[in-house]
Amino acid sequence: MAFILAFIILGIYLFRTTTPQQEASGLGRATSAYITVASFLLGALCSGIAGFVGMWVSVRANVRVSSAARRSAREALQIAVRAGGFSAIVVVCMAVFGVAILYATFYVWLGVDSPGSMMVTDLPLLLVGYGFGASFVALFAQLGGGIYTKAADVGADLVGKVEQGIPEDDPRNPAVIADLVGDNVGDCAARGADLFESIAAEIISAMILGGTMAQRCKIEDPSGFILFPLVVHSFDLVVSSVGILSIRGTRDSGLISPIEDPMAIMQKGYSVTIMLAILTFGVSTRWLLYTEQAPSAWLNFALCGLVGIITAYAFVWISKYYTDYKHEPVCLLALSSSTGHGTNIIAGVSLGMESTALPVLVISVAIISAFWLGQTSGLVDESGNPTGGLFGTAVATMGMLSTAGYVLTMDMFGPIADNAGGIVEMSQQPESVREITDVLDAVGNTTKATTKGFAIGSAALASFLLFSAYMDEVSAFAQLPFKEVDIAVPEIFVGGLLGSMLIFLFSAWACSAVGKTAQEVVNEVRRQFIERPGIMDYKEKPDYGRCVAIVASASLREMIRPGALAIISPMAVGVIFRILGHSTGQPLLGAKVVASMLMFATVAGILMALFLNTAGGAWDNAKKYIETGVLGGKGSEAHKAAVTGDTVGDPFKDTAGPSLHVLIKMLATITLVMAPIFL
């Protein structure tokens, strides 16, 4: 699919008008077309590799974690965290490396900044293809992975736990292998590609904004502003590594210590990372963002970074509050299960809706305060207007993602611990070992929920930057000022309606894909239990391969519809309204309608994703909380109701929710790449 799209992009870029900047730099249509396509394919390739590395590490680490759990909980935790850390660091490394290589290649190859060629401040616009390629593959990784993992999970739970009454991860369940493989596909591969794409899109949009701001302010040496994002994320590798290595294991196997709370240990590591990130961020702003024109500007930008880091911490804390059973919301949700299935669903949905309030307030404060800090930084253009506002928001987004390595580690930790639990259950280890892996698994659920919160927060901030980058690009192409989008114009209002609708339709298709595939799995598992009665008393071996084949082929088939919707709709809307605008004499109509579609889709998408992720995570942990023995424990009526809630929450939190963060950023990057066809 990436190759088909690459040809379409090539065609669009070969037949469009060139911008004055390109003519000044001697870049022909063909050159810019090939550059965009090459960076698109490179982004797609790197995004794929990022997902692959996550899987590769995870399937090798899970056995080691389950083996370590026989010795001590602390050792199991250490191995799981370090395995997650390895793949997380590779992912961040790829993002920085890919952009740096492209930047350096184009810089040398196009002879940037020599007389008669292009300005260094225009160079980042050539990299938009990379961000689009990354988000394109990430969307399919997330959709396909989400459909795969949840169809297997729902199918295994409905027949295994509810109908047959066998425990989770029991080897007698024909869908159990598909379920465990799915955890890797959905969490390691998909989240790896997702955060890779977040970082890539954010580096590129910050480079574009840094470049345009340096150009407007006539700064002598703009390269500091352009390369700043790459430096921040390189420091991220260092500070996250220190945070990961601060979690150390103890090898005294003789003492049976009480199980420490793994969440507390990981939070300690996170605090170490954050402290170091604040230090390195301050150093890099002073080093790269200091200019003679505004000697105190770097301090304002350092504060913007601090705003971003605090936002990240707040997001992690809020997600934890709503999804961890140590806090009130999940306990109340578990309590509602004691009165039946319906009340559990009502409580879960209302919890999810309520959980959108705090994050939105946090994002709002962050965007406004970062913008204001940037505006007052003292950087002004020729006519004396302050211009640092948008770059301030860009710096805040970098601050938020400056601990991405450690956050991604906490996420990769989840499926590794989950699989380790499955291996312990299947190899029939003693109950004490299963207790250790259960604690790690419950923590893994919370860390997965916190990472999703983090990913949405960064998507919200990053998409705000990408709007501005899009508007800059459109005004460069059209040679007309394009500063604001007026919703009071009917066509533009309609664009907004379409954008919000896109989010709901996309989520619906993603959830129904899981439902359809899960039905196939349920029928297959039931068939095996009827045709092979020996499975239940271990006389016959279930046919695991059939279930794996069903979910693998179904997820590849089902992910095309929502994916195509996301790619085609902004292009279609832009082209239709461009034709309308042409006939009514409004030259920028197509671009404006797309901008409004993008903004509304972002707003609706953030809220929808927060709702889906939190509701799903809370349902899952309410079930885990009951399984610890409250309200009658496993097998009680309350537990059955909680399993229903968990089943409903599965496609919410692992298919539709995470696909939405990628969708938000992909809409933003696709409009950047396709901007020429809207004019």
Side-chain angles (χ1 to χ4, degrees):
M1 292 183 81
F3 275 114
I4 297 171
L5 201 58
F7 277 113
I8 296 175
I9 295 174
L10 187 67
I12 290 171
Y13 272 68
L14 282 175
F15 296 115
R16 67 167 206 200
T17 51
T18 47
T19 62
Q21 287 108 313
Q22 284 175 327
E23 276 156 23
S25 64
L27 256 192
R29 286 181 193 180
T31 328
S32 75
Y34 291 128
I35 284 178
T36 309
V37 170
S39 50
F40 170 75
L41 289 175
L42 184 71
L45 179 74
C46 290
S47 193
I49 295 175
F52 185 81
V53 168
M55 287 272 295
W56 190 89
V57 172
S58 166
V59 294
R60 281 162 180 71
N62 47 27
V63 183
R64 300 175 190 192
V65 175
S66 38
S67 171
R70 297 185 303 184
R71 294 189 288 278
S72 76
R74 191 70 190 254
E75 196 189 336
L77 175 71
Q78 183 192 355
I79 292 178
V81 168
R82 289 197 176 169
F86 175 75
S87 39
I89 282 172
V90 170
V91 167
V92 180
C93 203
M94 297 262 307
V96 177
F97 208 58
V99 177
I101 284 181
L102 276 179
Y103 181 87
T105 313
F106 294 159
Y107 192 95
V108 176
W109 181 46
L110 300 169
V112 174
D113 273 352
S114 55
S117 67
M118 76 189 297
M119 306 273 296
V120 69
T121 46
D122 293 330
L123 186 57
L125 275 171
L126 296 176
L127 306 176
V128 289
Y130 185 79
F132 178 40
S135 49
F136 177 77
V137 170
L139 181 72
F140 284 106
Q142 189 69 72
L143 265 175
I147 295 169
Y148 187 111
T149 168
K150 286 304 119 179
D153 192 358
V154 170
D157 283 1
L158 283 180
V159 185
K161 278 193 212 166
V162 182
E163 292 178 13
Q164 300 288 338
I166 53 181
E168 191 163 5
D169 297 335
D170 191 295
R172 290 173 290 184
N173 192 334
V176 70
I177 301 287
D179 182 10
L180 288 174
V181 173
D183 290 327
N184 294 306
V185 181
D187 280 308
C188 294
R191 198 79 69 262
D194 179 0
L195 272 173
F196 169 80
E197 168 274 333
S198 279
I199 295 169
E202 181 267 340
I203 289 179
I204 291 166
S205 58
M207 285 171 110
I208 293 176
L209 290 174
T212 46
M213 186 187 74
Q215 211 172 1
R216 280 184 198 146
C217 302
K218 298 276 180 277
I219 294 170
E220 298 88 59
D221 180 23
S223 58
F225 286 88
I226 295 175
L227 295 176
F228 179 63
L230 288 173
V231 175
V232 170
H233 288 293
S234 310
F235 271 130
D236 166 25
L237 294 168
V238 181
V239 296
S240 296
S241 308
V242 175
I244 292 160
L245 293 175
S246 71
I247 299 178
R248 282 208 289 282
T250 45
R251 292 293 307 239
D252 46 344
S253 52
L255 299 166
I256 297 183
S257 60
I259 296 181
E260 302 154 286
D261 178 22
M263 196 68 202
I265 300 173
M266 289 171 88
Q267 294 248 281
K268 232 180 287 177
Y270 190 43
S271 310
V272 171
T273 310
I274 281 191
M275 287 304 152
L276 286 170
I278 292 173
L279 276 174
T280 55
F281 209 92
V283 171
S284 37
T285 42
R286 173 68 186 82
W287 169 40
L288 290 164
L289 300 185
Y290 179 79
T291 64
E292 296 298 323
Q293 294 162 336
S296 67
W298 70 271
L299 188 65
N300 279 39
F301 289 130
L303 289 173
C304 289
L306 187 63
V307 166
I309 292 173
I310 294 169
T311 308
Y313 196 81
F315 257 94
V316 168
W317 192 88
I318 292 167
S319 315
K320 183 170 166 288
Y321 173 74
Y322 277 110
T323 55
D324 196 347
Y325 56 66
K326 290 183 197 61
H327 302 287
E328 191 188 26
V330 177
C331 296
L332 290 175
L333 177 56
L335 195 63
S336 71
S337 308
S338 58
T339 49
H341 300 243
T343 44
N344 168 286
I345 302 291
I346 294 170
V349 170
S350 59
L351 181 149
M353 289 182 173
E354 182 197 316
S355 71
T356 57
L358 279 174
V360 168
L361 293 175
V362 170
I363 290 179
S364 314
V365 171
I367 288 181
I368 289 173
S369 50
F371 192 85
W372 179 80
L373 278 167
Q375 282 294 66
T376 53
S377 64
L379 286 168
V380 289
D381 59 12
E382 296 103 78
S383 47
N385 303 324
T387 55
L390 275 173
F391 191 67
T393 354
V395 176
T397 315
M398 282 179 244
M400 184 156 186
L401 285 168
S402 66
T403 51
Y406 193 84
V407 175
L408 189 55
T409 301
M410 296 203 298
D411 184 79
M412 298 275 193
F413 164 83
I416 294 175
D418 194 343
N419 273 345
I423 293 171
V424 166
E425 174 73 46
M426 287 186 188
S427 54
Q428 296 171 348
Q429 298 293 321
E431 193 57 37
S432 59
V433 182
R434 179 76 211 200
E435 266 167 32
I436 291 178
T437 53
D438 272 349
V439 172
L440 290 181
D441 189 9
V443 170
N445 267 341
T446 310
T447 59
K448 281 193 283 200
T450 53
T451 321
K452 285 168 195 159
F454 177 84
I456 294 178
S458 61
L461 284 172
S463 55
F464 182 70
L465 302 182
L466 289 161
F467 288 154
S468 323
Y470 168 69
M471 290 163 101
D472 276 358
E473 198 192 7
V474 169
S475 57
F477 274 122
Q479 295 301 299
L480 294 164
F482 182 29
K483 288 276 181 288
E484 63 270 323
V485 178
D486 182 2
I487 306 177
V489 177
E491 291 92 342
I492 295 175
F493 179 72
V494 167
L497 270 179
L498 292 172
S500 310
M501 175 215 70
L502 171 68
I503 296 295
F504 281 82
L505 190 58
F506 179 84
S507 308
W509 283 0
C511 287
S512 77
V514 173
K516 267 194 270 183
T517 316
Q519 286 172 346
E520 290 180 40
V521 176
V522 166
N523 291 334
E524 171 61 26
V525 174
R526 281 181 185 155
R527 184 189 67 78
Q528 290 202 24
F529 275 128
I530 293 165
E531 289 179 11
R532 305 185 179 191
I535 290 179
M536 284 307 281
D537 37 22
Y538 298 102
K539 288 201 181 75
E540 284 182 79
K541 206 174 174 183
D543 180 3
Y544 302 119
R546 284 278 309 147
C547 289
V548 175
I550 287 175
V551 284
S553 63
S555 59
L556 290 172
R557 187 178 65 238
E558 297 285 346
M559 72 184 181
I560 291 174
R561 203 170 59 147
L565 173 78
I567 294 162
I568 293 166
S569 49
M571 288 156 63
V573 167
V575 171
I576 290 169
F577 281 99
R578 167 195 165 177
I579 297 166
L580 264 178
H582 189 68
S583 56
T584 54
Q586 297 162 285
L588 280 179
L589 188 67
K592 282 182 177 168
V593 171
V594 171
S596 131
M597 180 178 186
L598 186 58
M599 289 171 184
F600 277 78
T602 304
V603 171
I606 290 165
L607 293 172
M608 187 73 157
L610 281 167
F611 160 66
L612 293 171
N613 287 337
T614 319
W619 267 319
D620 196 347
N621 274 349
K623 178 200 70 173
K624 289 265 194 302
Y625 180 54
I626 292 179
E627 285 174 358
T628 58
V630 274
L631 300 170
K634 286 186 184 180
S636 61
E637 286 306 310
H639 182 243
K640 283 178 187 159
V643 169
T644 303
D646 177 33
T647 310
V648 174
D650 272 340
F652 278 25
K653 73 175 195 304
D654 283 324
T655 312
S659 302
L660 281 175
H661 345 148
V662 190
L663 174 71
I664 293 169
K665 283 170 303 201
M666 197 186 79
L667 285 173
T669 49
I670 194 173
T671 48
L672 269 177
V673 174
M674 297 298 178
I677 62 169
F678 306 146
L679 297 166

mmCIF file of all heavy atoms in Angstrom, residues 24-40:
data_model
loop_
_atom_site.group_PDB
_atom_site.id
_atom_site.type_symbol
_atom_site.label_atom_id
_atom_site.label_comp_id
_atom_site.label_asym_id
_atom_site.label_seq_id
_atom_site.Cartn_x
_atom_site.Cartn_y
_atom_site.Cartn_z
ATOM 1 N N ALA A 24 13.744 29.791 -6.648
ATOM 2 C CA ALA A 24 14.941 30.525 -6.235
ATOM 3 C C ALA A 24 16.095 29.571 -5.951
ATOM 4 O O ALA A 24 17.252 29.865 -6.202
ATOM 5 C CB ALA A 24 14.637 31.353 -4.998
ATOM 6 N N SER A 25 15.742 28.387 -5.434
ATOM 7 C CA SER A 25 16.814 27.456 -5.058
ATOM 8 C C SER A 25 17.169 26.510 -6.203
ATOM 9 O O SER A 25 17.983 25.608 -6.031
ATOM 10 C CB SER A 25 16.391 26.650 -3.844
ATOM 11 O OG SER A 25 15.282 25.849 -4.182
ATOM 12 N N GLY A 26 16.505 26.676 -7.330
ATOM 13 C CA GLY A 26 16.826 25.834 -8.478
ATOM 14 C C GLY A 26 16.367 24.394 -8.322
ATOM 15 O O GLY A 26 16.910 23.485 -8.934
ATOM 16 N N LEU A 27 15.337 24.172 -7.464
ATOM 17 C CA LEU A 27 14.806 22.810 -7.293
ATOM 18 C C LEU A 27 13.683 22.615 -8.302
ATOM 19 O O LEU A 27 12.648 23.277 -8.198
ATOM 20 C CB LEU A 27 14.198 22.672 -5.900
ATOM 21 C CG LEU A 27 14.969 21.918 -4.817
ATOM 22 C CD1 LEU A 27 14.060 21.654 -3.650
ATOM 23 C CD2 LEU A 27 15.512 20.608 -5.353
ATOM 24 N N GLY A 28 13.859 21.708 -9.253
ATOM 25 C CA GLY A 28 12.798 21.485 -10.231
ATOM 26 C C GLY A 28 11.684 20.640 -9.637
ATOM 27 O O GLY A 28 11.786 20.140 -8.534
ATOM 28 N N ARG A 29 10.607 20.477 -10.450
ATOM 29 C CA ARG A 29 9.505 19.626 -9.987
ATOM 30 C C ARG A 29 9.978 18.204 -9.745
ATOM 31 O O ARG A 29 9.651 17.594 -8.749
ATOM 32 C CB ARG A 29 8.414 19.574 -11.044
ATOM 33 C CG ARG A 29 7.620 20.832 -11.112
ATOM 34 C CD ARG A 29 6.560 20.666 -12.175
ATOM 35 N NE ARG A 29 5.982 21.958 -12.480
ATOM 36 C CZ ARG A 29 5.014 22.112 -13.379
ATOM 37 N NH1 ARG A 29 4.573 21.077 -14.049
ATOM 38 N NH2 ARG A 29 4.519 23.299 -13.613
ATOM 39 N N ALA A 30 10.738 17.694 -10.702
ATOM 40 C CA ALA A 30 11.151 16.288 -10.609
ATOM 41 C C ALA A 30 11.963 16.057 -9.337
ATOM 42 O O ALA A 30 11.719 15.105 -8.594
ATOM 43 C CB ALA A 30 11.972 15.911 -11.827
ATOM 44 N N THR A 31 12.901 16.968 -9.065
ATOM 45 C CA THR A 31 13.748 16.783 -7.867
ATOM 46 C C THR A 31 12.886 16.742 -6.621
ATOM 47 O O THR A 31 13.017 15.845 -5.790
ATOM 48 C CB THR A 31 14.752 17.961 -7.728
ATOM 49 O OG1 THR A 31 15.103 18.412 -9.028
ATOM 50 C CG2 THR A 31 15.980 17.529 -6.980
ATOM 51 N N SER A 32 11.968 17.730 -6.481
ATOM 52 C CA SER A 32 11.186 17.771 -5.245
ATOM 53 C C SER A 32 10.262 16.553 -5.168
ATOM 54 O O SER A 32 9.999 16.039 -4.084
ATOM 55 C CB SER A 32 10.405 19.075 -5.141
ATOM 56 O OG SER A 32 9.305 19.065 -5.999
ATOM 57 N N ALA A 33 9.781 16.074 -6.320
ATOM 58 C CA ALA A 33 8.935 14.882 -6.313
ATOM 59 C C ALA A 33 9.723 13.676 -5.804
ATOM 60 O O ALA A 33 9.270 12.943 -4.925
ATOM 61 C CB ALA A 33 8.401 14.605 -7.710
ATOM 62 N N TYR A 34 10.931 13.492 -6.360
ATOM 63 C CA TYR A 34 11.713 12.317 -5.947
ATOM 64 C C TYR A 34 12.125 12.416 -4.482
ATOM 65 O O TYR A 34 12.139 11.422 -3.769
ATOM 66 C CB TYR A 34 12.940 12.142 -6.853
ATOM 67 C CG TYR A 34 12.559 11.738 -8.254
ATOM 68 C CD1 TYR A 34 13.018 12.432 -9.374
ATOM 69 C CD2 TYR A 34 11.694 10.656 -8.461
ATOM 70 C CE1 TYR A 34 12.635 12.063 -10.658
ATOM 71 C CE2 TYR A 34 11.305 10.286 -9.734
ATOM 72 C CZ TYR A 34 11.769 10.984 -10.834
ATOM 73 O OH TYR A 34 11.372 10.608 -12.087
ATOM 74 N N ILE A 35 12.445 13.629 -4.040
ATOM 75 C CA ILE A 35 12.841 13.801 -2.635
ATOM 76 C C ILE A 35 11.695 13.411 -1.711
ATOM 77 O O ILE A 35 11.864 12.665 -0.747
ATOM 78 C CB ILE A 35 13.248 15.276 -2.374
ATOM 79 C CG1 ILE A 35 14.633 15.528 -2.966
ATOM 80 C CG2 ILE A 35 13.236 15.587 -0.888
ATOM 81 C CD1 ILE A 35 15.104 16.951 -2.818
ATOM 82 N N THR A 36 10.480 13.914 -2.021
ATOM 83 C CA THR A 36 9.332 13.618 -1.161
ATOM 84 C C THR A 36 9.038 12.127 -1.134
ATOM 85 O O THR A 36 8.796 11.543 -0.083
ATOM 86 C CB THR A 36 8.093 14.394 -1.640
ATOM 87 O OG1 THR A 36 8.444 15.764 -1.778
ATOM 88 C CG2 THR A 36 6.960 14.265 -0.650
ATOM 89 N N VAL A 37 9.068 11.491 -2.315
ATOM 90 C CA VAL A 37 8.768 10.058 -2.372
ATOM 91 C C VAL A 37 9.835 9.256 -1.629
ATOM 92 O O VAL A 37 9.519 8.337 -0.874
ATOM 93 C CB VAL A 37 8.648 9.590 -3.836
ATOM 94 C CG1 VAL A 37 8.589 8.082 -3.912
ATOM 95 C CG2 VAL A 37 7.400 10.196 -4.454
ATOM 96 N N ALA A 38 11.106 9.636 -1.813
ATOM 97 C CA ALA A 38 12.178 8.890 -1.137
ATOM 98 C C ALA A 38 12.038 9.013 0.374
ATOM 99 O O ALA A 38 12.137 8.017 1.104
ATOM 100 C CB ALA A 38 13.541 9.427 -1.577
ATOM 101 N N SER A 39 11.731 10.235 0.858
ATOM 102 C CA SER A 39 11.625 10.377 2.308
ATOM 103 C C SER A 39 10.370 9.663 2.825
ATOM 104 O O SER A 39 10.365 9.113 3.921
ATOM 105 C CB SER A 39 11.660 11.845 2.730
ATOM 106 O OG SER A 39 10.754 12.596 2.001
ATOM 107 N N PHE A 40 9.305 9.640 2.005
ATOM 108 C CA PHE A 40 8.091 8.898 2.392
ATOM 109 C C PHE A 40 8.405 7.417 2.575
ATOM 110 O O PHE A 40 8.063 6.802 3.580
ATOM 111 C CB PHE A 40 7.007 9.081 1.323
ATOM 112 C CG PHE A 40 5.812 8.189 1.483
ATOM 113 C CD1 PHE A 40 4.864 8.438 2.472
ATOM 114 C CD2 PHE A 40 5.625 7.091 0.662
ATOM 115 C CE1 PHE A 40 3.764 7.612 2.631
ATOM 116 C CE2 PHE A 40 4.524 6.258 0.816
ATOM 117 C CZ PHE A 40 3.591 6.519 1.799
#
